[in-house]
Amino acid sequence: LIMYCNKCGAEVNDGNAFCTNCGSPLNKAKIEFAERTEPKEPQNFKIKCIRCRSCDLHPLTEDITTSKTTGSDFSVGKGCLGYLLMGPFGILCGACGKNKKTTTTTTHKNYWVCKDCGFKFKDLATLETEINTYKSSLILTSVALIFWCILMIYMIISFNCTAFLLICLAIGIVIGGINFFSNWTAMKNAQEEYDNTKRIFME
């Protein structure tokens, strides 16, 4: 069987202990076999390297594991609502119903590796998945920002607020704005990369 080094993507023969290209130790459990599922591109596209335009490519799959902690020890939203309903003591509602947990997810990303120049780039399906993920995050962030802005305007107009609550709301809006801009920039870059890759494939 022809196998590929999981570090540099070079071909290695079955039985080799080290990669002949980069010298890395070969762990058979981590080597990508040629029989694995290749990235699927539309049949009317000609897969080629987006740097040197070579068609001598081979697929490479990377597993990326990330950990994300959701929730917190204090909920600003619950605290604000508690204040509106029960006054200053309602702020303590923010400490009710703590729900802090850490989740671990593994993402599979498919790449093409050029055998001529060694350039590695994402396949179109992976780029589409990233773009859709950023779009979902933008929608959720937009809804949250609208809610916080409406709540802040209401509290200012009704004079039913304190400087502490206004600061908390302002901080939440700033953080949401930064998150929105970050996701928008990442989505724009992914879209540009997708369009460029697709254009080269169609040449």
Side-chain angles (χ1 to χ4, degrees):
L1 292 177
I2 298 177
M3 299 180 293
Y4 299 103
C5 173
N6 198 51
K7 183 176 182 181
C8 69
E11 287 188 8
V12 292
N13 295 325
D14 188 15
N16 286 5
F18 297 90
C19 175
T20 56
N21 183 53
C22 66
S24 301
L26 298 177
N27 183 352
K28 290 188 177 181
K30 296 183 179 181
I31 291 178
E32 299 289 340
F33 285 82
E35 285 77 9
R36 69 188 177 285
T37 303
E38 296 187 1
K40 295 182 179 180
E41 310 291 5
Q43 295 182 357
N44 59 330
F45 286 176
K46 186 176 182 181
I47 311 302
K48 64 185 86 171
C49 176
I50 62 176
R51 173 183 288 178
C52 68
R53 305 300 194 271
S54 171
C55 295
D56 192 8
L57 309 172
H58 72 78
L60 182 66
T61 301
E62 290 185 355
D63 297 335
I64 301 176
T65 303
T66 56
S67 297
K68 182 179 181 180
T69 301
T70 57
S72 61
D73 294 332
F74 183 85
S75 173
V76 177
K78 291 180 180 179
C80 292
L81 293 176
Y83 179 84
L84 292 174
L85 296 174
M86 296 179 290
F89 290 103
I91 297 177
L92 298 177
C93 293
C96 299
K98 299 177 182 178
N99 188 22
K100 190 175 183 180
K101 61 180 181 180
T102 301
T103 56
T104 302
T105 57
T106 300
T107 304
H108 306 284
K109 291 189 176 183
N110 296 322
Y111 295 86
W112 292 105
V113 181
C114 178
K115 295 182 181 180
D116 292 336
C117 68
F119 185 67
K120 181 177 73 173
F121 57 97
K122 299 174 185 176
D123 74 316
L124 293 179
T126 297
L127 290 172
E128 285 181 352
T129 301
E130 290 185 358
I131 293 171
N132 292 331
T133 300
Y134 290 132
K135 286 182 179 179
S136 299
S137 298
L138 286 175
I139 293 174
L140 293 175
T141 305
S142 300
V143 172
L145 283 174
I146 293 173
F147 171 78
W148 286 114
C149 289
I150 292 175
L151 181 60
M152 188 173 185
I153 293 173
Y154 168 77
M155 295 179 69
I156 292 175
I157 293 177
S158 63
F159 299 101
N160 189 20
C161 64
T162 62
F164 172 74
L165 288 178
L166 286 178
I167 292 174
C168 290
L169 287 172
I171 292 175
I173 293 174
V174 170
I175 293 175
I178 294 174
N179 187 32
F180 180 89
F181 179 76
S182 176
N183 286 328
W184 181 81
T185 302
M187 185 188 71
K188 182 180 178 182
N189 293 335
Q191 186 66 53
E192 290 178 353
E193 184 178 356
Y194 175 87
D195 294 339
N196 181 57
T197 302
K198 185 177 180 180
R199 176 181 57 80
I200 293 175
F201 284 1
M202 295 182 68
E203 289 179 350

